[in-house]
């Protein structure tokens, strides 16, 4: 039983999937116009830990993450310049080249942080047709209206528009009211109305990424992209939608409004919002010059997995403060864990735990505790504490090793790779002798005897892997 804090209800709820044992999971991915900083990486690692938790608990997860490669303006409230275009001008590359460049860096970074590949990675620019289709539906259903500059979603038509943010619309008006869209588009009805489709006009008359369409030449707004991509790959209702807390009042509020208006059903059952990575107690941000990249972390000789370990130490709903000192502590924490694993491996001859199946030695008591923690709104820091407790216990080393490797299916710290670092696998004499006897039997083509010895070895929890000779 998994309990999830649902932003929509502001309560911890028991997770009930739409389809038995299946999870439809969407995460708002990066806008690919720069190198994502480690704050963005925190969001990706947290989603990965949640994904791994579902998998560990035997759910069949379909995980979709998008790339925003058009339409995200420098302000989330549909104002400013398109982020892709801005980068395109400053780097003298086309928006397509910008996207390619930064997707590559992003994919490399998340791989180094040992996150699992999403089942589907989508790009907004590959969904323009479906975006146009959804905008048309919203026009037909009278949820949208057109001005000379854009097509807007009419928030006054949405049922309970601010149900996620719980802000009153007047407050929303205040937030967005002073933005330059309202000033530059006098035909806009309500300051909180947001753009579904920008025309290649006005401020955007020289836009680089535009599409011909029955709506008029233009490009999509950012919010509609996620509504369309999640719908296309996961259907009308998702089990889980995840993103940073900053998305609650605008991006996710708008996604709900347009998806529910277009599809007529509930958009998302469980909203998960991760808190930010801070630096000097302020949100890590590129514009403030505090957006460290993974490359910078590595250049200071930190292993990306120590950053993953660092992220494991804070709850996803808590802010986490980054300092180099904390990073060093993360590195030490990981090293100490690795050393403990090495020591456990040594005790029985540094065998490779993957080849020598240890799964039947997973300690049930500790596993139960671990499951309790990860199922209780994904409490990874406490799950890590269970792992430490396990390592300090007086369980046999093999059991400890088997159990910690089992936990690592969620932690994703590559702990199973550690014993491989040992140069030569040194086997206990007894086993070594049996190997020799078996080899002799094989040479004599006495297969029956060879199999018998193999069985004997297996009973001693070692496995013989024959190579061609
Ligand atoms: P963006 O490219 O700005 O749309 O951000 C991509 C993802 O990173 C979003 O899900 C954001 O919520 C998340 N994000 C951005 N900054 C931070 C931060 N400082 N800490 C954690 N997550 C962040
Ligand atoms: Zn999104």
């Amino acid at each position: 039983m998994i309990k999830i804090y649902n932003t929509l209800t502001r309560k911890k709820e028991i997770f009930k999937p739409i389809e038995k044992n299946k999870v439809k999971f969407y995460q708002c991915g990066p806008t690919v116009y720069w190198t994502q900083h480690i704050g963005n990486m925190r969001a990706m690692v947290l989603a990965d830990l949640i994904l791994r938790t579902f998998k560990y608990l035997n759910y069949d997860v379909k995980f979709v993450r998008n790339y925003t490669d058009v339409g995200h303006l420098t302000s989330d409230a549909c104002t400013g310049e398109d982020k892709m275009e801005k980068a395109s001008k400053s780097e003298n590359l086309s928006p397509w080249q910008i996207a390619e460049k930064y997707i590559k860096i992003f994919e490399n970074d998340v791989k180094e942080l040992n996150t699992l590949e999403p089942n589907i990675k989508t790009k907004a620019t590959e969904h323009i047709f479906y975006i146009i289709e959804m905008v048309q539906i919203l026009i037909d259903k009278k949820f949208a209206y057109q001005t000379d500059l854009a097509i807007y979603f009419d928030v006054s038509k949405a049922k309970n528009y601010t149900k996620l943010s719980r802000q009153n619309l007047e407050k929303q008006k205040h937030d967005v009211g002073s933005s330059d869209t309202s000033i530059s588009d006098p035909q806009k009805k309500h300051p909180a109305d947001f753009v579904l489709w920008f025309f290649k006009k006005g401020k955007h008359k020289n836009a680089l990424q535009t599409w011909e369409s029955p709506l008029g030449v233009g490009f999509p707004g950012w919010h509609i992209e996620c509504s369309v991509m999640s719908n296309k790959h996961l259907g009308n209702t998702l089990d889980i939608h995840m993103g940073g807390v900053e998305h609650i009042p605008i991006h996710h509020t708008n996604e709900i409004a347009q998806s529910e208006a277009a599809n007529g059903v509930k958009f998302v059952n469980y909203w998960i919002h991760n808190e930010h990575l801070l630096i000097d107690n302020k949100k890590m941000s590129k514009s403030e010059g505090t957006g460290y990249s993974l490359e910078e972390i590595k250049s200071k000789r930190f292993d990306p997995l120590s950053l993953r370990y660092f992220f494991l130490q804070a709850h996803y709903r808590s802010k986490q403060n980054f300092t180099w000192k904390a990073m060093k502590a993360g590195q030490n924490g990981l090293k100490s864990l690795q050393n403990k694993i090495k020591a456990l491996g040594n005790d029985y001859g540094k065998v490779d735990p993957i080849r020598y199946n240890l799964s039947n030695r997973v300690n049930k008591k500790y596993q139960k505790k671990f499951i309790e923690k990860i199922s209780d709104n994904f409490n990874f820091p406490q799950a890590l504490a269970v792992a430490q407790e396990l390592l300090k216990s007086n369980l046999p080393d093999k059991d400890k090793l088997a159990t910690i490797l089992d936990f690592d299916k969620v932690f994703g710290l590559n702990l199973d790779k550690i014993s491989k670092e040992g140069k030569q696998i040194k086997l206990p004499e007894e086993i070594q002798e049996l190997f020799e006897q078996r080899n002799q039997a094989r040479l004599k083509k006495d297969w029956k005897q060879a199999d018998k010895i193999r069985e004997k070895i297996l009973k001693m929890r070692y496995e013989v892997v024959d190579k061609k000779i």
Side-chain angles (χ1 to χ4, degrees):
M1 183 177 75
I2 302 185
K3 279 186 271 168
I4 301 178
Y5 180 86
N6 188 352
T7 313
L8 191 64
T9 57
R10 305 289 195 271
K11 277 195 209 110
K12 235 195 246 183
E13 295 173 14
I14 294 171
F15 176 67
K16 292 194 192 100
I18 300 162
E19 271 178 75
K20 198 171 178 280
N21 256 41
K22 292 199 172 162
V23 186
K24 302 172 211 270
F25 182 0
Y26 184 88
Q27 184 191 22
C28 286
T31 307
V32 284
Y33 68 113
W34 67 21
T35 302
Q36 295 276 297
H37 56 61
I38 56 168
N40 304 114
M41 290 300 138
R42 180 182 185 209
M44 303 308 140
V45 169
L46 292 174
D48 182 64
L49 289 165
I50 292 175
L51 169 68
R52 284 172 181 264
T53 299
F54 280 115
K55 288 187 177 231
Y56 180 85
L57 298 171
N58 294 319
Y59 282 90
D60 176 7
V61 195
K62 187 166 177 192
F63 178 53
V64 180
R65 184 194 288 136
N66 74 290
Y67 292 120
T68 299
D69 54 353
V70 65
H72 192 174
L73 306 192
T74 45
S75 145
D76 289 355
C78 319
T79 61
E81 210 178 338
D82 185 299
K83 290 183 176 185
M84 296 299 294
E85 294 207 355
K86 204 174 162 197
S88 162
K89 282 177 204 154
S90 72
E91 296 197 37
N92 210 10
L93 292 169
S94 72
W96 311 99
Q97 288 167 319
I98 291 285
E100 201 186 330
K101 174 176 169 186
Y102 291 107
I103 286 176
K104 210 165 156 196
I105 295 174
F106 174 81
E107 293 201 342
N108 183 59
D109 287 354
V110 287
K111 195 168 167 207
E112 290 204 71
L113 287 163
N114 203 26
T115 65
L116 303 174
E117 274 275 287
N119 299 79
I120 294 180
K121 297 181 282 188
T122 69
K123 282 188 198 152
T125 51
E126 287 170 0
H127 291 74
I128 301 296
F129 174 83
Y130 302 104
I131 291 172
I132 294 167
E133 209 172 52
M134 193 183 258
V135 175
Q136 193 57 57
I137 291 170
L138 290 170
I139 296 172
D140 295 345
K141 289 189 162 185
K142 310 223 176 326
F143 283 101
Y145 65 91
Q146 183 169 336
T147 71
D148 291 338
L149 296 177
I151 300 172
Y152 291 95
F153 186 92
D154 184 343
V155 299
S156 71
K157 301 272 175 67
K159 218 200 274 165
N160 199 358
Y161 172 66
T162 56
K163 66 182 166 197
L164 185 69
S165 69
R166 300 193 176 186
Q167 284 183 347
N168 63 39
L169 201 53
E170 289 314 303
K171 166 85 169 59
Q172 198 100 21
K173 196 177 190 170
H174 183 73
D175 284 347
V176 193
S178 56
S179 70
D180 60 341
T181 309
S182 350
I183 297 159
S184 59
D185 192 351
Q187 293 168 299
K188 192 171 156 179
K189 291 190 200 161
H190 189 289
D193 291 348
F194 56 92
V195 175
L196 300 169
W197 188 259
F198 290 97
F199 294 129
K200 197 180 178 189
K201 283 183 185 168
K203 196 170 58 184
H204 300 293
K205 66 174 183 294
N206 297 319
L208 300 174
Q209 287 173 293
T210 55
W211 288 262
E212 296 276 346
S213 99
L215 306 169
V217 181
F219 63 98
W222 171 43
H223 316 299
I224 190 87
E225 298 175 0
C226 280
S227 278
V228 167
M229 288 186 275
S230 59
N231 183 270
K232 190 80 204 110
H233 300 285
L234 296 169
N236 286 351
T237 306
L238 323 179
D239 289 298
I240 292 178
H241 193 313
M242 183 168 174
V245 283
E246 79 279 15
H247 292 333
I248 299 170
I250 300 180
H251 184 51
H252 290 164
T253 287
N254 293 346
E255 278 188 46
I256 296 176
Q258 53 202 5
S259 290
E260 298 194 349
N263 305 322
V265 291
K266 190 177 180 189
F267 175 42
V268 171
N269 285 340
Y270 302 86
W271 282 96
I272 298 182
H273 289 99
N274 63 274
E275 258 296 351
H276 288 145
L277 185 68
L278 308 181
I279 183 146
D280 297 330
N281 292 309
K282 278 195 288 191
K283 182 179 180 243
M284 181 168 275
S285 114
K286 192 193 172 195
S287 53
E288 304 240 346
T290 57
Y292 294 127
S293 64
L294 189 63
E295 206 47 52
E296 283 166 277
I297 300 290
K298 286 195 299 183
S299 73
K300 292 203 191 285
R301 300 192 166 277
F302 287 110
D303 175 348
L305 288 180
S306 4
L307 184 62
R308 189 174 169 106
Y309 187 91
F310 168 74
F311 291 147
L312 268 167
Q313 292 172 307
H315 193 268
Y316 81 89
R317 291 195 61 227
S318 303
K319 294 178 173 59
Q320 188 178 24
N321 196 33
F322 178 87
T323 59
W324 290 108
K325 206 170 149 198
M327 187 63 226
K328 182 96 186 98
Q331 174 110 315
N332 289 341
L334 178 66
K335 272 207 182 126
S336 139
L337 190 57
Q338 288 171 336
N339 287 337
K340 283 177 193 156
I341 308 277
K342 276 186 204 167
L344 292 176
N346 271 337
D347 261 355
Y348 59 104
K350 268 200 174 163
V351 290
D352 179 345
I354 296 302
R355 277 174 68 196
Y356 303 97
N357 185 11
L358 290 168
S359 59
N360 54 353
R361 299 202 68 130
V362 174
N363 182 275
K364 294 286 173 240
K365 188 184 102 190
Y366 280 97
Q367 191 182 42
K368 188 166 169 271
K369 273 193 180 181
F370 175 78
I371 291 177
E372 266 166 29
K373 301 302 180 194
I374 57 171
S375 310
D376 182 11
N377 197 26
F378 313 108
N379 200 330
F380 304 117
Q382 284 191 14
L384 204 56
V386 174
Q388 299 293 0
E389 204 185 306
L390 161 85
L391 291 171
K392 281 192 202 126
S393 73
N394 49 16
L395 284 178
D397 284 355
K398 281 183 198 172
D399 298 29
K400 282 189 195 174
L401 185 61
T403 314
I404 190 94
L405 293 182
D406 179 63
F407 294 177
D408 198 45
K409 290 177 194 158
V410 176
F411 295 146
L413 295 169
N414 274 345
L415 299 180
D416 59 340
K417 307 254 161 70
I418 290 164
S419 54
K420 282 183 187 160
E421 277 177 21
K423 283 170 215 104
Q424 270 243 286
I425 294 173
K426 194 170 166 292
L427 293 167
E429 262 172 45
E430 218 182 337
I431 303 285
Q432 191 64 45
E433 211 165 287
L434 285 168
F435 269 125
E436 288 306 322
Q437 287 176 17
R438 185 171 174 273
N439 282 343
Q440 291 303 321
R442 290 182 80 218
L443 282 173
K444 286 187 218 148
K445 297 200 191 309
D446 186 350
W447 309 120
K448 219 168 157 187
Q449 177 67 1
D451 282 351
K452 228 162 125 187
I453 300 173
R454 176 194 218 133
E455 285 303 313
K456 217 166 164 182
I457 295 173
L458 210 59
K459 277 199 187 117
M460 297 170 86
R461 305 204 183 283
Y462 287 86
E463 191 188 356
V464 189
V465 180
D466 288 325
K467 285 190 184 148
K468 262 199 180 141
I469 33 173

